[in-house]
Amino acid sequence: MRSPIDRAAVERLTAQRAAKLRARSPRSRALFERARLVMPQGVPSSFQAVEPHPIYIERGLGSRITDVDGNEYLDCHNGFGAIVAGHGNPVIARAIAAAAATGTQFAAPSLASVEVAEELARRFRLPRVRFTNSGTEATLDAIRLARAFTGKDVILKIEGSYHGHHGAVMVSVHPPLELAGPRAEPRPVPFSDGLLAGEVARTVPIPFNDADHLRRLLEARRDVAALIVEPIMMNIGIVMPEPGYLAALRELTARHGVVLIYDEVKTAITIAAGGGVEHFGVVPDLVCVAKAVGGGTPLGAVIGSAEIMELIATSRVKQLGTFNGNALAMAAARATLLEVMDGAAYARLERADAYLRAKLDAIIDRHGLPAYTVGLRAKGCVVFSDRPIVDYRSWAMYLEEDLNRLAWLYHLTSGVYMTPGGDEQWNLALTHTERDLDAFADAFEEFARDVTRSA
Ligand code: PMP
């Protein structure tokens, strides 16, 4: 089918919507000008930088946030998915307030740390847990454990995936195709200046959804310590594993003595109580979690087999951190895991995903957009492509980036706050109502009408 997209309109509408965004956010603009004198790009993390300027947020409650200009948004960003119960959830807020009043930091173990560890072990079907303060620290510790356990150096990662900002994984995140080498043998491409060349060379990218590639590679080399993989790729929109793919990874890594690490920083407790482990039923050797498990506080964890985590028990691997098991984080995580994110919560997220995607699918159909939806409970996106995206190369080649960006601008200027950039889109929370999701779909329909010749 010929795409009905009006290409000239896309450019015009993008300029119009960017102007609208600027007009409704003068205080954010002023704060941006002030902020960039003290913070590079005017933001605390480069992932928060966005054109024409970031929106500076003042507060949030339930499904809503308010910016410094007084604009209220339906929040579908939810702190990059760290918020799954809604802002200011009363159970979590009470737990944090109680911890704040009785001591926030001891750098000593507590009852709550034991309870949170037990619950993570139960959900992710692996018996041992250590806490970190972020997803980055979780993947760093997991990779160190894998190297210590195997006595090998090389890390395999999926081309296109992001696993945090330490050197071993800042490789082939979104590599320019002209630098990435042939698909049959992707080349490691540094994601930042300042990395050690020797470290970059020890991280080998492989394509997602291609178990044969891994089979050939593991038959050819003996220096591989670990494969780190998101059970569902979530930094190039959302790419589901093909049936049998994760089981094949499990079988191949076990056969070749390679540690299989799931990066569940995004999927943990958002797509299922026990993330990808529960959803697909394939258990790796180590699982990295962060984001939503902290109930809005900075928390991560490595969850692993007794055999590998024994390296920490015997002090051969040092797993450390002043704030590991911090009282605020433990209180928030305990409330989130044991009191809020129960069976009813997952049923609610499942209904919300089905409701929203049915509406978006109908709009895509009605206007003939080159797009499709993918979603699972809290996580979802519209993929702007008329071909299925199965890995990084297909995403880099077929994603219609200009439509992706314009849809983002429509949402933002219609009062729906979304994650910046093309990597991910919506994060649903328990507080989203059908009316909220109707508002999301209405903004999308306006976009669909305006960019197609059906206007
Ligand atoms: N792994 C994945 C899959 C992520 O999406 C992220 C963050 N976007 C990280 C690791 C790093 O987590 P953090 O930002 O907490 O360091």
Side-chain angles (χ1 to χ4, degrees):
M1 190 185 73
R2 201 168 62 88
S3 166
I5 300 297
D6 182 345
R7 297 288 157 186
V10 171
E11 212 170 303
R12 178 171 40 82
L13 292 166
T14 300
Q16 266 174 19
R17 287 284 162 157
K20 188 168 173 183
L21 184 65
R22 275 194 294 272
R24 51 182 267 145
S25 54
R27 288 210 168 113
S28 273
R29 180 81 209 175
L31 206 42
F32 172 56
E33 299 299 346
R34 176 177 161 192
R36 63 181 174 179
L37 298 177
V38 66
M39 290 185 283
Q41 299 179 304
V43 289
S45 156
S46 297
F47 279 136
Q48 296 170 18
V50 64
E51 293 289 324
H53 59 76
I55 300 296
Y56 290 74
I57 302 300
E58 207 165 73
R59 62 183 181 276
L61 187 62
S63 65
R64 308 278 147 170
I65 52 171
T66 307
D67 71 10
V68 291
D69 286 285
N71 297 309
E72 193 183 272
Y73 298 84
L74 171 68
D75 191 8
C76 293
H77 180 317
N78 278 312
F80 278 127
I83 300 295
V84 71
H87 296 287
N89 173 282
V91 176
I92 301 170
R94 263 198 307 276
I96 293 175
T102 53
T104 60
Q105 164 69 2
F106 307 105
S110 63
L111 171 60
S113 66
V114 180
E115 290 174 326
V116 173
E118 285 172 348
E119 177 61 7
L120 289 175
R122 188 187 71 78
R123 287 186 181 221
F124 292 88
R125 304 180 190 176
L126 287 163
R128 302 281 189 271
V129 178
R130 268 293 179 93
F131 296 111
T132 68
N133 305 290
S134 67
T136 293
E137 290 175 49
T139 62
L140 183 154
D141 285 334
I143 284 171
R144 181 167 296 150
L145 280 164
R147 284 179 166 151
F149 187 72
T150 58
K152 295 173 182 170
D153 276 354
V154 169
I155 303 301
L156 306 182
K157 81 175 281 285
I158 302 298
E159 192 175 44
S161 283
Y162 178 73
H163 299 295
H165 62 276
H166 59 92
V169 291
M170 289 284 273
V171 177
S172 296
V173 174
H174 285 171
L177 289 183
E178 62 277 14
L179 301 180
R183 189 187 179 284
E185 207 173 331
R187 218 178 282 143
V189 179
F191 186 48
S192 170
D193 284 4
L195 303 178
L196 293 171
E199 190 167 33
V200 172
R202 283 178 177 78
T203 297
V204 175
I206 63 172
F208 193 60
N209 271 328
D210 188 346
D212 279 339
H213 185 102
L214 179 68
R215 178 174 295 113
R216 284 193 299 277
L217 195 145
L218 291 182
E219 278 164 8
R221 55 195 299 173
R222 297 276 170 269
D223 53 359
V224 178
L227 164 61
I228 184 165
V229 58
E230 289 183 282
I232 303 174
M233 270 189 94
M234 288 205 177
N235 280 299
I236 52 168
I238 294 176
V239 180
M240 290 288 175
E242 283 165 4
Y245 175 64
L246 295 175
L249 297 187
R250 175 68 288 185
E251 193 270 313
L252 286 166
T253 49
R255 189 190 321 157
H256 291 276
V258 170
V259 174
L260 180 60
I261 305 170
Y262 276 1
D263 181 344
E264 297 229 42
V265 168
K266 282 187 167 173
T267 48
I269 86 160
T270 55
I271 61 155
V277 170
E278 175 186 327
H279 186 74
F280 298 107
V282 176
V283 185
D285 301 301
L286 297 171
V287 176
C288 304
V289 300
K291 295 199 194 273
V293 297
T297 66
L299 177 65
V302 183
I303 310 165
S305 69
E307 218 186 347
I308 296 178
M309 299 295 268
E310 187 64 15
L311 291 168
I312 301 175
T314 56
S315 273
R316 283 180 54 207
V317 168
K318 309 289 190 291
Q319 196 275 332
L320 308 161
T322 299
F323 284 99
N324 292 5
N326 168 263
L328 283 180
M330 290 297 107
R334 193 196 164 285
T336 301
L337 294 168
L338 295 176
E339 296 181 51
V340 178
M341 296 309 293
D342 55 12
Y346 291 101
R348 185 177 170 89
L349 290 173
E350 186 158 330
R351 281 196 303 276
D353 168 66
Y355 182 85
L356 177 60
R357 286 200 299 120
K359 293 202 101 170
L360 299 179
D361 287 341
I363 293 165
I364 288 168
D365 235 36
R366 209 158 36 244
H367 298 276
L369 287 182
Y372 60 93
T373 64
V374 193
L376 186 58
R377 301 205 171 99
K379 301 284 185 180
C381 69
V382 172
V383 181
F384 290 98
S385 168
D386 55 7
R387 286 174 246 209
I389 305 291
V390 297
D391 58 11
Y392 173 69
R393 300 282 168 125
S394 50
W395 181 78
M397 283 189 297
Y398 305 133
L399 183 79
E400 303 228 26
E401 258 184 81
D402 51 348
L403 293 183
N404 205 57
R405 166 152 176 82
L406 184 54
W408 178 83
L409 277 170
Y410 265 76
H411 278 118
L412 215 61
T413 49
S414 309
V416 182
Y417 192 65
M418 301 279 282
T419 61
D423 297 4
E424 66 173 303
Q425 287 177 14
W426 68 75
N427 291 286
L428 299 182
L430 299 179
T431 40
H432 285 136
T433 62
E434 286 190 356
R435 276 187 59 194
D436 289 336
L437 303 176
D438 290 343
F440 186 110
D442 287 348
F444 187 73
E445 176 125 46
E446 196 184 353
F447 155 82
R449 204 181 305 121
D450 289 355
V451 294
T452 56
R453 296 193 184 95
S454 61

